[in-house]
Amino acid sequence: MAKLKTDCFNLEYTLECGQIFRVNKQDGWYYVNAMDKLIKIRQNGDTIEYFGANKPFITNFFSLDVPLKKIIKEINRDDNMKLATKEYEGLRLIRQHPWECLVSFIFSAASNIPRIKSCVDGVSKYFGKKITVGDFESYTFPGCGEINDTQKLEKARPGFRGKYVYEASASINENHLESLRSMPYEEAKNVLKEIKGVADKVADCVLLFSLDFMEAFPVDTWINRIMQELYFENNPVPKKEIRTFADEYFGRYAGYAQQYLFMHARNRTK
DNA sequence: CGTCAGGTAGCCA
DNA sequence: TGGCTACCTGAC
């Protein structure tokens, strides 16, 4: 086991804000899957304790190197944001593996978190390898090209999203996704949107949650609703206009603003 | 037991 | 470009 002292980090909010799906809580520990890793982790005050990964991985994965206080300062543009960032203090964006992130969010279309989780778990179970940490057992996530059997894929119950995942697995390789990092935001987004099953929202999730584009602002139904309420006097507004507004209003860290607003919007009705 | 969902593709004006 | 609608299926 390793320990690490953190600053301005909340493990619970970070893992339970809906950006990542393969998370399980058991006996006070979180079990987090990330491609071929299974991490066992918990937080005690400022300190995190973990198994299954080394310090560089943990630091990078949980964005512990990102200057969150500075970011919060920049996105706290009004009282609503100050409330949301205070409410979920320490929430950080996770740097997921681009391929796992892409598949997860293709699954997310017109779905809900329990079902998305079930699809991602299913794909892991039917295409991944068994992995354990302590007495917890799960499966690794299959790499690009490894989701190559439609009958097995069907067992994950993806519905109409299955064909998109199958096609993506057949046509994409990891280098293709990694190469997006060096592109400008708009260009990287357009490349992602060439993938069937990927349009604005999913592309923005992949850019924000796995490729370090912190300006990406995914507009889903929750964000659509809360943004209209807070900034458009409850008037119906096209999602495109919401993205444009967010870009100008929140700036280069709009993605962080999005995640705090998402939590704020979702949890008040829960 | 219906309704509807963390959207998107395809089609048409 | 902008506005439909069908789409799998299981949570609620």
Side-chain angles (χ1 to χ4, degrees):
Chain A
M1 193 216 7
K3 287 192 183 188
L4 181 60
K5 196 162 160 54
T6 62
D7 181 39
C8 200
F9 176 63
N10 185 300
L11 182 67
E12 180 188 342
Y13 297 152
T14 299
L15 288 176
E16 295 188 11
C17 69
Q19 59 179 321
I20 188 166
F21 301 101
R22 292 209 297 155
V23 176
N24 293 284
K25 198 174 183 181
Q26 196 176 97
D27 301 324
W29 290 89
Y30 283 102
Y31 295 86
V32 185
N33 289 87
M35 284 308 284
D36 57 342
K37 288 188 168 53
L38 172 57
I39 301 156
K40 176 179 179 178
I41 185 167
R42 70 179 174 188
Q43 181 169 31
N44 232 311
D46 290 340
T47 304
I48 50 174
E49 305 171 51
Y50 55 91
F51 299 83
N54 59 22
K55 183 176 167 182
F57 183 89
I58 294 291
T59 301
N60 180 69
F61 188 69
F62 290 110
S63 295
L64 297 176
D65 55 328
V66 164
L68 186 56
K69 280 176 184 162
K70 180 186 152 196
I71 291 172
I72 299 298
K73 246 183 177 172
E74 284 200 30
I75 61 175
N76 271 351
R77 305 299 302 271
D78 52 54
D79 290 344
N80 296 314
M81 283 307 302
K82 283 175 190 164
L83 188 67
T85 55
K86 187 74 194 166
E87 197 175 1
Y88 298 103
E89 202 171 345
L91 189 168
R92 286 174 185 264
L93 293 177
I94 289 175
R95 291 194 183 104
Q96 299 180 226
H97 188 280
W99 167 244
E100 180 170 359
C101 186
L102 172 67
V103 173
S104 301
F105 283 93
I106 288 177
F107 281 142
S108 77
S111 192
N112 52 64
I113 289 179
R115 194 168 168 213
I116 300 163
K117 186 171 166 41
S118 154
C119 289
V120 184
D121 282 341
V123 160
S124 302
K125 182 174 178 186
Y126 300 117
F127 294 97
K129 298 191 185 88
K130 195 169 278 189
I131 185 172
T132 59
V133 61
D135 55 1
F136 189 90
E137 187 175 277
S138 67
Y139 297 85
T140 62
F141 194 82
C144 296
E146 291 180 5
I147 305 177
N148 53 9
D149 180 325
T150 49
Q151 292 192 6
K152 276 160 75 177
L153 178 54
E154 203 51 39
K155 291 169 78 177
R157 312 298 293 152
F160 64 84
R161 308 153 195 87
K163 56 181 179 288
Y164 302 138
V165 168
Y166 181 82
E167 200 180 312
S169 180
S171 60
I172 292 173
N173 66 60
E174 218 171 286
N175 293 338
H176 177 68
L177 293 175
E178 287 297 331
S179 72
L180 302 182
R181 291 184 192 278
S182 58
M183 295 180 189
Y185 166 73
E186 287 295 344
E187 192 184 339
K189 186 168 178 177
N190 285 332
V191 173
L192 282 172
K193 285 164 72 175
E194 288 170 9
I195 301 165
K196 290 276 176 62
V198 179
D200 282 306
K201 195 272 179 180
V202 172
D204 275 329
C205 285
V206 175
L207 291 170
L208 180 62
F209 299 141
S210 76
L211 293 169
D212 243 17
F213 286 87
M214 291 188 273
E215 69 267 51
F217 192 88
V219 180
D220 58 30
T221 54
W222 291 99
I223 289 296
N224 199 33
R225 203 175 304 158
I226 190 83
M227 288 295 285
Q228 286 174 183
E229 186 184 319
L230 297 181
Y231 304 108
F232 296 91
E233 299 172 334
N234 247 329
N235 292 316
V237 177
K239 291 183 175 180
K240 189 180 177 184
E241 194 176 329
I242 291 184
R243 279 191 296 276
T244 309
F245 171 84
D247 180 42
E248 289 170 7
Y249 191 68
F250 296 118
R252 57 183 165 164
Y253 299 123
Y256 264 90
Q258 183 272 353
Q259 205 57 33
Y260 282 97
L261 284 171
F262 178 79
M263 280 293 266
H264 180 70
R266 196 169 60 119
N267 288 165
R268 63 182 178 173
T269 52
K270 226 172 168 178

